[in-house]
Amino acid sequence: MAHIDQVLGQADDTVTFFQPRAMVYVTMLWVVAAAWTLCLILFVLVRVALGDPPAAGDIVAYLELALIVPVIFSALILLVAWRRFGWLHSSVHGLDFAATGRKPVHIPWSGVGAVGLRHRGPFTELVVTPLAPDFPVVGSGPGRRPRMRRDAYLVDVGLMSPGPDVLLAELHRRLPTKV
């Protein structure tokens, strides 16, 4: 992993954060596998409670499903969102970002009221609160409207590279009193 000073070098002002596809796939894989396995276990428990215990062949089929379905489902999710993963650019012009599958947003540094992170791990979100509703400019193009919570914009940054800690350092460099 690169040191923060190497990523935030003085030669280039723009810092780009993006979601690597492999990291998204692996995260989706373990989340889907956990949920699918839980559903299969509950299904088997309901069958036993109703007096229809599964046979040995059924158990083998359930184990196969526990291995195959998450791989296929995660691959389908990855294909649907292939060109629409979240990204964030920090430059002298301001903050440009888009959550996965959403329209891009540009906020100049003078229009940022506060920024912060919420949640942890792969589900970390950046919360960007503008000073006034007229500062953010929503871009055109494909995608749904930007993710918002009250008056703040949300961007999923937990899987972004170089990482939320580097993102926080970059935002603190740009907005030392608002992070």
Side-chain angles (χ1 to χ4, degrees):
M1 183 171 185
H3 188 269
I4 289 177
D5 294 333
Q6 292 171 338
V7 176
L8 305 177
Q10 298 296 329
D12 187 10
D13 185 60
T14 302
V15 179
T16 301
F17 298 87
F18 65 97
Q19 291 177 326
R21 288 179 175 92
M23 191 177 285
V24 172
Y25 177 74
V26 169
T27 303
M28 286 302 303
L29 184 63
W30 69 261
V31 169
V32 171
W36 181 249
T37 303
L38 180 65
C39 289
L40 283 175
I41 290 170
L42 290 174
F43 178 71
V44 169
L45 291 176
V46 167
R47 278 188 66 176
V48 169
L50 294 175
D52 183 24
D58 293 336
I59 299 293
V60 170
Y62 296 150
L63 290 174
E64 290 172 352
L65 286 174
L67 294 173
I68 294 171
V69 170
V71 172
I72 293 172
F73 192 70
S74 298
L76 288 174
I77 291 172
L78 190 70
L79 287 174
V80 167
W82 188 259
R83 293 195 169 269
R84 298 172 40 163
F85 288 122
W87 52 269
L88 187 138
H89 298 286
S90 169
S91 70
V92 70
H93 305 291
L95 196 59
D96 297 294
F97 57 86
T100 302
R102 307 296 178 135
K103 292 184 184 266
V105 177
H106 170 76
I107 302 177
W109 293 118
S110 61
V112 176
V115 293
L117 296 177
R118 72 178 195 156
H119 305 306
R120 293 187 181 269
F123 305 108
T124 304
E125 293 178 332
L126 177 69
V127 180
V128 181
T129 307
L131 285 174
D134 56 338
F135 277 109
V137 176
V138 177
S140 61
R144 297 176 290 174
R145 62 182 184 82
R147 287 181 57 208
M148 294 188 73
R149 183 177 184 219
R150 296 186 186 99
D151 294 334
Y153 290 89
L154 301 175
V155 184
D156 39 344
V157 297
L159 297 177
M160 284 194 180
S161 180
D165 54 341
V166 178
L167 173 62
L168 210 55
E170 167 66 9
L171 293 174
H172 186 69
R173 180 175 75 103
R174 301 277 186 181
L175 305 165
T177 61
K178 299 178 183 181
V179 176

